[in-house]
Amino acid sequence: MDVVVIETTALGDRSYLVHDGKVALVIDPQRDTDRVEEAARAAGVRITHVAETHLHNDYVTGGLVLAEKHGAQYLVNAADHVGFDRVPVTDGQVISVGHLLVKVLATPGHTHTHLSYVVRDDTHDGGTEAVFSGGSLLYGSVGRTDLVSPDDTAKLAHDQYSSVRRLVSSASRDAALYPTHGFGSFCSVGPSSKVKASTIGEQAAANHALTDQDEDHFVAELLENITAYPAYYAHMSPLNAAGPGAANLHVPDSVDAAELGRRLESGEWVVDLRHRVAFADSHLQGSVSFEYGRGDNFTSYLGWVIPWNQPLTLLGPLDEVEKAIRDLARIGIDGPDAAVGPGATPLNIGALAPGHPRASYPHSDWAGLAKDRAPEDVVLDVRRPDEFAASHVKGALNIPVYELISRTTEVPDARIWVHCATGYRASVAASLLDRAGRDVVLINARFRDAAGVGIETVP
């Protein structure tokens, strides 16, 4: 048995190609299935089965499209109500994939109908094993349990506690563990590990969901650690249940200058992909900053901040626009328009809409705040409330970036110094405030460095 890992770092997820050298099972494929197909070609194997652990909340699946294209069996929980043909699978069922035996295990918790798969190589005595746990058992933690309904969250947390124990008892200690979530995904909760690989035995010894012998304590701790998740999650499971089509990864023809100007003037969402400092120094008035290619924040925060199903225009060099279209397709944002500049970076934004006014705002660091802040100025912290509660600048106002559009009126009419943990969310927030006509300064610095220049933080 060979397992090929297909990373989607932008969403903190993994898909898997599991094969015996001839035929393959794909588990939890992302919507841009060309990556899976490339892996299958490289391995010289034929895709005969595609399996879902659950109807995902953080991305649109490519499972149905992949299965239909390759004539593969599409394994989905029989209890899921879906709008397409599938091979319904149930707890305890064993499926042959070439020389591999795939056992289906019900592991409710992340969702009510969540499944895991224990795969054994049947060509050797005893057989090597691998466990594909989806959003159940993760490296160091488990999948969050609040994505179905507030009324179900506590019950699912109890289910999660039982499910991970059942999963561990159903596989050998040396079985490799392959979760879908947990690599920066908002689908995980609790003290997740930074390890790149693990086994069932290692998790049994170290994962708090397995070492905590008090179920009520585990549930209480899990519920206490649940934080906000991206707003676009609400649309993913229904899309997956309906049966999503193929991703459109085509880069459209660039909109002309007059049309781009019209979109900006009418208040449409024009997203500038350039570096946050370049945006602050000069941008098309009315555009917003979602820096691309710096960390893994772009997809989640754009899908979280910008209202769903609104016209969207991406502004940037061709290579970044192309990558951004792929990323957005994974969360169901299809066919955005683009204003693509000639060549690579640096991008001449003035050439894209020469008749449209440009804007700018200052950027600084913590030393600049300490030196230049006036008594009436506002420090706006756009991190999550749990981050703010742990430590914040004394006197700061906390409005998470994902709530800022609806809460801008709560920000006093004064100069606003906006910050987050690293500068990324702050750059989004600063652009939103600038778009709203506010006087803003971007603090492009890490929060952990504030105290070092004399900024008072509490508690």
Side-chain angles (χ1 to χ4, degrees):
M1 173 170 53
D2 192 13
V3 179
V4 180
V5 179
I6 301 159
E7 294 267 9
T8 306
T9 54
L11 295 176
D13 286 313
R14 289 178 175 179
S15 303
Y16 300 99
L17 179 82
V18 192
H19 67 86
D20 66 357
K22 293 183 178 180
V23 297
L25 162 71
V26 179
I27 297 177
D28 290 346
Q30 289 271 340
R31 195 179 184 198
D32 51 330
T33 56
D34 56 336
R35 296 181 298 155
V36 176
E37 293 172 316
E38 183 180 344
R41 284 193 296 270
V45 298
R46 181 167 55 92
I47 297 170
T48 60
H49 294 74
V50 179
E52 301 285 4
T53 57
H54 59 295
L55 297 178
H56 307 275
N57 286 92
D58 65 328
Y59 64 82
V60 177
T61 181
L64 178 61
V65 167
L66 188 66
E68 290 180 340
K69 182 176 178 180
H70 292 268
Q73 295 188 45
Y74 190 28
L75 313 180
V76 178
N77 195 326
D80 283 324
H81 300 289
V82 296
F84 50 83
D85 291 333
R86 42 79 192 269
V87 176
V89 293
T90 57
D91 181 53
Q93 189 171 346
V94 178
I95 298 154
S96 295
V97 181
H99 292 299
L100 306 178
L101 294 179
V102 182
K103 185 175 182 179
V104 181
L105 286 179
T107 48
H110 191 45
T111 67
H112 289 295
T113 57
H114 190 283
L115 300 175
S116 297
Y117 301 93
V118 179
V119 182
R120 181 165 64 86
D121 187 337
D122 202 33
T123 60
H124 301 90
D125 186 25
T128 57
E129 282 187 328
V131 176
F132 298 88
S133 57
S136 180
L137 183 64
L138 312 182
Y139 293 164
S141 190
V142 293
R144 64 192 303 154
T145 66
D146 62 325
L147 299 180
V148 176
S149 165
D151 294 335
D152 294 340
T153 301
K155 169 64 166 59
L156 286 170
H158 284 282
D159 289 344
Q160 194 74 293
Y161 184 85
S162 300
S163 288
V164 295
R165 281 162 169 70
R166 184 183 185 220
L167 189 57
V168 166
S169 69
S170 300
S172 60
R173 283 294 196 253
D174 61 353
L177 177 66
Y178 296 101
T180 301
H181 302 316
F183 310 95
S185 168
F186 285 98
C187 277
S188 62
V189 64
S192 60
S193 170
K194 300 295 184 182
V195 300
K196 297 295 185 181
S198 189
T199 65
I200 288 293
E202 289 169 348
Q203 292 304 307
N207 192 305
H208 75 113
L210 294 165
T211 58
D212 192 337
Q213 299 306 309
D214 185 335
E215 180 174 345
D216 289 336
H217 176 266
F218 164 80
V219 169
E221 188 176 60
L222 184 146
L223 298 181
E224 184 178 341
N225 281 292
I226 285 176
T227 59
Y229 57 83
Y232 71 84
Y233 275 27
H235 306 282
M236 299 299 97
S237 185
L239 286 172
N240 288 328
N248 177 11
L249 305 181
H250 172 70
V251 178
D253 292 337
S254 183
V255 300
D256 63 29
E259 175 60 16
L260 179 59
R262 184 200 66 77
R263 295 180 185 192
L264 288 162
E265 289 167 8
S266 64
E268 288 190 18
W269 292 103
V270 175
V271 172
D272 191 321
L273 304 178
R274 294 175 304 145
H275 189 279
R276 66 190 78 156
V277 171
F279 181 91
D281 286 341
S282 180
H283 56 271
L284 296 174
Q285 191 175 79
S287 62
V288 291
S289 174
F290 283 86
E291 180 180 356
Y292 189 84
R294 191 176 177 88
D296 301 320
N297 301 293
F298 170 78
T299 313
S300 293
Y301 280 104
L302 189 147
W304 200 343
V305 171
I306 292 183
W308 185 256
N309 206 26
Q310 295 291 308
L312 182 67
T313 306
L314 303 178
L315 188 160
L318 177 60
D319 58 338
E320 291 189 353
V321 169
E322 187 174 27
K323 292 173 185 176
I325 286 173
R326 177 180 291 267
D327 285 349
L328 294 175
R330 293 171 181 152
I331 63 168
I333 298 177
D334 288 315
D337 286 326
V340 181
T345 51
L347 179 70
N348 180 3
I349 59 149
L352 296 177
H356 190 79
R358 293 193 232 179
S360 65
Y361 50 80
H363 47 87
S364 187
D365 55 17
W366 293 110
L369 175 67
K371 175 176 176 290
D372 298 328
R373 179 186 180 185
E376 66 275 12
D377 287 357
V378 174
V379 176
L380 177 64
D381 184 334
V382 295
R383 297 176 300 157
R384 299 188 311 271
D386 59 298
E387 296 174 277
F388 183 82
S391 180
H392 59 269
V393 174
K394 185 176 181 180
L397 172 66
N398 178 221
I399 299 178
V401 65
Y402 49 83
E403 296 179 359
L404 186 57
I405 290 176
S406 62
R407 297 178 60 189
T408 300
T409 56
E410 296 179 28
V411 183
D413 187 13
R415 195 177 209 202
I416 307 158
W417 298 73
V418 59
H419 83 89
C420 62
T422 65
Y424 189 90
R425 287 173 286 179
S427 68
V428 174
S431 73
L432 293 172
L433 290 167
D434 173 74
R435 186 175 188 259
R438 307 300 292 273
D439 181 8
V440 64
V441 181
L442 166 63
I443 301 177
N444 186 33
R446 294 182 179 274
F447 175 70
R448 68 187 183 194
D449 297 330
V453 296
I455 302 294
E456 185 176 359
T457 58
V458 292

